[in-house]
C-alpha cells in the first residue's frame, strides 16, 4: 500500500540547494518596494557617470604612440600633438551634439531612445547593438588598463627580472577584477552616492597634480628626457621622415583611430540623464560640458608631457606612458614616490570604476531593448537583489570571453573599441537631425546643421576605425555588428509571430467546445508520483478518469498490470495502448485526438513527472513528460497538465514531526 507524505507547514518547506548558495553569496533578497530612484546633484553625477569617459585619458595618448613610434620614430612625439588637437575638435563637436541630446530626451537610454523615437524600433537596433558592444568592450578595456596601471606601479617601484611573471599573469588579475565586479553588482551595488564619485575626483586630482608638476618642472628648466632605447620599449621606426611617404596617411589615420578611444564613455551622461535632479536637461548639459572640459584638458596634458619627456610605450604594455610621466615629474625623492603611488592607484581605481559603469549601463539598456521585444524578456526581470541579474551575467560571460580571446592585451582590445562607440554617436546625431527637421522650433536650422555635422564626422571616424584596424581585430566588430542587428530583429519577429498566434482566436473561443470532460492519466509505473496525480484528478471530479499505459515492452506491461491490481488504485482500470514503433508521444497524440474527434470530449492529459537532482537528473532520466505535453498541446480541446513530484530529497525529511512521511508496504 502507498501513502502520500505528510504536508509540512509553510515555514518548514525546504529551500533548494541552489537558492541557499545564492542567498549565502548575495545576501537576503530585497523586495520590490525597496527599489527607489535616487536623484543626483551635478557634482555627484559627474563623479558617478564620468568614470568611463575621463579614465580614457590614461591610455588614449599612449595608444597613438603605439602606432606612430614603430613607423616614424621620435617624430611620433611631434605628430602626437596635431593628432591630439584633431581628437579634441571631434570632442568639441560631439559635446555640442550631446548637449542637445540631454535637453531633448531626458529618459535614460541615450542614442537608443533618440533613434527609436525618430526612426522606429527596428532602425534603433543599430544603436542598441552599438551600445551593447560598447559596454562589453568597455569592461574588458577598462579592466585591462586598470591592471596595467597597477603592474606599472610595481615595475617602477621594484622593477627587476622577477616581475616578468607578473606581466604573464595580468590576464588572471583582470579576470579576477571582472568577477569581483560581477559579484558586487549581483549583490546590488548601486552606482550612486559619494562613495562612487570619490574615485573620479581622486583621479582628477592625481592627473591635475601630474600635469601641473610636470609642466612646472619643464618651465623651471628641466628638459631631460626618458631614454627611448630602454630595453623592452617599442622599437623606433628606422625612418624619421616617414611623413613624406605615401604610407604616412594610413599611419596617421591608424593613430587617430587609436586615439579615438579617448572619447569613449562620452555618451554616459545621456544614458543616465534620468538620475539628475530637476531640471534634468539643464543639469545634465552642465555636467556634460564639465566632463568634456576635464577630458580634453587631461588628454592634451598627457600628450604634451609625452612630447616633452619622450615617454615610450613598452612591448609588454607596462610601465605605461602615464606612469613614466609621473615617475619623471615627481622624481626619486620620498614625496616623489608618494606622488607616483597616488597617481597610479587613483588611475587603477578609476579604470576599474569605469568598467563598473558597464555593469550598470548594459543591464538597463538590455532591459529597454527587451521591453521592446528585441531581446529575450528574461532581461527585464530584476533578480535576488533588485539588479538586472541576467544582464549582469551575460555581460560578465561575454567580456571574459573577450579578455581570454585577446589575452587581456589593451593594444588588441582597442582595435575593437571605437566602432561601436562612434556608431552610437552617428545614430544620435542622425536622430536629432530628424527631430529638429520635424519640430522646426527655435534655432532649429543651426541645431540641424550641428547634429548633421556630428553625425557625418562620427560616421567617418567609425569607417576610419573599421578600415585601419580591420586586420587588428576590428573585423570581429564589423562582422558581429550586422549579425547582431539581424538577430535582434529576428527575436522581435518571433515575439510578434507568437503574439499574433495567441491573438488569432475565433469569436466563440471562450465558449465550451465539448460537453464531456475526460481525464487521461499516463502511467509508466506505480509509485507516489502516480498516486499524487490520481488524487489530483479525483479532486477535480471529471466525468471520466482513464488510466493509460503506453506499452513498449509486453513483459514490463504485464508486471505493471499485476502491480496495479495489487494496490489501492485497483478500482481504476488500467488500459494498455500498444506502441510497437516506440514513439510514445505519437501514440498518446493519436489516442487523445481520436477521443476528441469521435466523442467531442474535452480531454485533460495528466502526466506525472518526477523531478530529480538538477544535474544528475538530466543525465540519468529522460524528459518524456515535456515532450508529450508539447506534442498534445497543439490539439484543440486538449489540455496537458504535468503533475510534478520531487524525488531529489528524501521525503522522510519533510515531515514536521520527524516521522516517516513516505513509506511503502
Amino acid at each position: 500500500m502507498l501513502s502520500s507524505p505528510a504536508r509540512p507547514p509553510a515555514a518548514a518547506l525546504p529551500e533548494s540547494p541552489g537558492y541557499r548558495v545564492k542567498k549565502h553569496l548575495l545576501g537576503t533578497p530585497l523586495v520590490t518596494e525597496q527599489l527607489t530612484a535616487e536623484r543626483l546633484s551635478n557634482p555627484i553625477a559627474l563623479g558617478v557617470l564620468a568614470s568611463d569617459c575621463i579614465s580614457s585619458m590614461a591610455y588614449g595618448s599612449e595608444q597613438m604612440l603605439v602606432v606612430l613610434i614603430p613607423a616614424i620614430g621620435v617624430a611620433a612625439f611631434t605628430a602626437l600633438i596635431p593628432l591630439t588637437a584633431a581628437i579634441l575638435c571631434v570632442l568639441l563637436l560631439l559635446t555640442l551634439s550631446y548637449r542637445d541630446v540631454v535637453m531633448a530626451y531626458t529618459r535614460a537610454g541615450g542614442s537608443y531612445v533618440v533613434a527609436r523615437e525618430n526612426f522606429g524600433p527596428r532602425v534603433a537596433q543599430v544603436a542598441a547593438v552599438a551600445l551593447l558592444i560598447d559596454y562589453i568592450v568597455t569592461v574588458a578595456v577598462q579592466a585591462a588598463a586598470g591592471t596595467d596601471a597597477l603592474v606599472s606601479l610595481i615595475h617602477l617601484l621594484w622593477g627587476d627580472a622577477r616581475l616578468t611573471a607578473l606581466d604573464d599573469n595580468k590576464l588572471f588579475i583582470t579576470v579576477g577584477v571582472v568577477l569581483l565586479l560581477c559579484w558586487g553588482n549581483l549583490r546590488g551595488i548601486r552606482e550612486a552616492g559619494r562613495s562612487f564619485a570619490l574615485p573620479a575626483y581622486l583621479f582628477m586630482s592625481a592627473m591635475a597634480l601630474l600635469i601641473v608638476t610636470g609642466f612646472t618642472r619643464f618651465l623651471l628648466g628641466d628638459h631631460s628626457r626618458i631614454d627611448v632605447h630602454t630595453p623592452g620599449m617599442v622599437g623606433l621606426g628606422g625612418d624619421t621622415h616617414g611623413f613624406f611617404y605615401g604610407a604616412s596617411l594610413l599611419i596617421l589615420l591608424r593613430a587617430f583611430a587609436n586615439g579615438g578611444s579617448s572619447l569613449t564613455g562620452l555618451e554616459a551622461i545621456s544614458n543616465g540623464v534620468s538620475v539628475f535632479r530637476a531640471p534634468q536637461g539643464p543639469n545634465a548639459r552642465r555636467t556634460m560640458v564639465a566632463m568634456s572640459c576635464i577630458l580634453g584638458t587631461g588628454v592634451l596634458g598627457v600628450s604634451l608631457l609625452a612630447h616633452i619627456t619622450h615617454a615610450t610605450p613598452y612591448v609588454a604594455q607596462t610601465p605605461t606612458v602615464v606612469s613614466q610621466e609621473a615617475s619623471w615629474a615627481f622624481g626619486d625623492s620620498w614625496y616623489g614616490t608618494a606622488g607616483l603611488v597616488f597617481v597610479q592607484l587613483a588611475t587603477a581605481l578609476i579604470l576599474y570604476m569605469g568598467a563598473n559603469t558597464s555593469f550598470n549601463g548594459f543591464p538597463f539598456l538590455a532591459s529597454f531593448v527587451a521591453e521592446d521585444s528585441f531581446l529575450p524578456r528574461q532581461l527585464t526581470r530584476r533578480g535576488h537583489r533588485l539588479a538586472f541579474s541576467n544582464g549582469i551575467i551575460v555581460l560578465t560571460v561575454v567580456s571574459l570571453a573577450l579578455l581570454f580571446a585577446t589575452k587581456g592585451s589593451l593594444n588588441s582590445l582597442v582595435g575593437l573599441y571605437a566602432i561601436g562607440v562612434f556608431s552610437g554617436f552617428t545614430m544620435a546625431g542622425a536622430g536629432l537631425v530628424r527631430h529638429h527637421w520635424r519640430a522646426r522650433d527655435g534655432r532649429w536650422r543651426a541645431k540641424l546643421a550641428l547634429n548633421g555635422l556630428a553625425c557625418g564626422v562620427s560616421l567617418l571616424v567609425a569607417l576610419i576605425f573599421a578600415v585601419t584596424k580591420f586586420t587588428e581585430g576590428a573585423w570581429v566588430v564589423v562582422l558581429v555588428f550586422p549579425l547582431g542587428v539581424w538577430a535582434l530583429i529576428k527575436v522581435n519577429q518571433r515575439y510578434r509571430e507568437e503574439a499574433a498566434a495567441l491573438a488569432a482566436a475565433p469569436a466563440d473561443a471562450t465558449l465550451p467546445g465539448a460537453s464531456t470532460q475526460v481525464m487521461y492519466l499516463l502511467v509508466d509505473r506505480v509509485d507516489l508520483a502516480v498516486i499524487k496525480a490520481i488524487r489530483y484528478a479525483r479532486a477535480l471530479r471529471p466525468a471520466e478518469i482513464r488510466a493509460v499505459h503506453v506499452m513498449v515492452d509486453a513483459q514490463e506491461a504485464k508486471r505493471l498490470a499485476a502491480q496495479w491490481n495489487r494496490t489501492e488504485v485497483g478500482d481504476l482500470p488500467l488500459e494498455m495502448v500498444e506502441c510497437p514503433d516506440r514513439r510514445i508521444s505519437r501514440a498518446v497524440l493519436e489516442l487523445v485526438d481520436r477521443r476528441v474527434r469521435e466523442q467531442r470530449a474535452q480531454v485533460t492529459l495528466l502526466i506525472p513527472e518526477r523531478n530529480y537532482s538538477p544535474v544528475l537528473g538530466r543525465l540519468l532520466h529522460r524528459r518524456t513528460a515535456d515532450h508529450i505535453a508539447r506534442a498534445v498541446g497543439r490539439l484543440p480541446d486538449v489540455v496537458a497538465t504535468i503533475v510534478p513530484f520531487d524525488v531529489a530529497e528524501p521525503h522522510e525529511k519533510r515531515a514536521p514531526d520527524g516521522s516517516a512521511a513516505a513509506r511503502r508496504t
Side-chain angles (χ1 to χ4, degrees), residues 1 29 43 72 93 169 203 242 244 250 302 326 347 351 359 377 458 481 487 493 503 529 538 549 577 599 607 609:
M1 181 173 127
I72 59 177
L93 183 60
N169 291 286
F203 178 70
F244 302 104
L250 179 61
V302 171
T347 301
L351 286 165
F359 281 96
R377 289 178 182 148
S458 298
F481 206 104
Q493 180 181 342
R538 286 174 169 167
H549 173 69
V577 175
Q599 301 182 16
I607 312 172
E609 181 182 54

Side-chain angles (χ1 to χ4, degrees), residues 448-466:
L448 188 147
L450 170 66
N451 288 288
L453 182 59
C455 174
V457 170
S458 298
L459 178 60
L460 178 62
V461 174
L463 292 175
I464 290 173
F465 214 102

Side-chain angles (χ1 to χ4, degrees), residues 557-574:
K558 289 181 180 179
R559 285 193 292 269
L560 176 62
Q563 185 183 8
W564 182 268
N565 292 328
R566 290 197 303 268
T567 64
E568 61 186 14
V569 296
D571 59 325
L572 180 64
L574 179 63

Side-chain angles (χ1 to χ4, degrees), residues 570-619:
D571 59 325
L572 180 64
L574 179 63
E575 302 178 20
M576 298 292 176
V577 175
E578 295 187 357
C579 183
D581 59 0
R582 298 168 305 284
R583 297 171 62 194
I584 297 176
S585 298
R586 182 67 184 181
V588 174
L589 186 67
E590 292 175 352
L591 173 67
V592 296
D593 179 60
R594 184 166 54 251
R595 182 62 184 267
V596 169
R597 286 188 293 103
E598 293 178 356
Q599 301 182 16
R600 295 288 298 167
Q602 173 72 44
V603 175
T604 298
L605 183 67
L606 294 184
I607 312 172
E609 181 182 54
R610 300 153 187 90
N611 294 328
Y612 302 92
S613 168
V615 178
L616 290 178
R618 292 186 177 274
L619 297 175

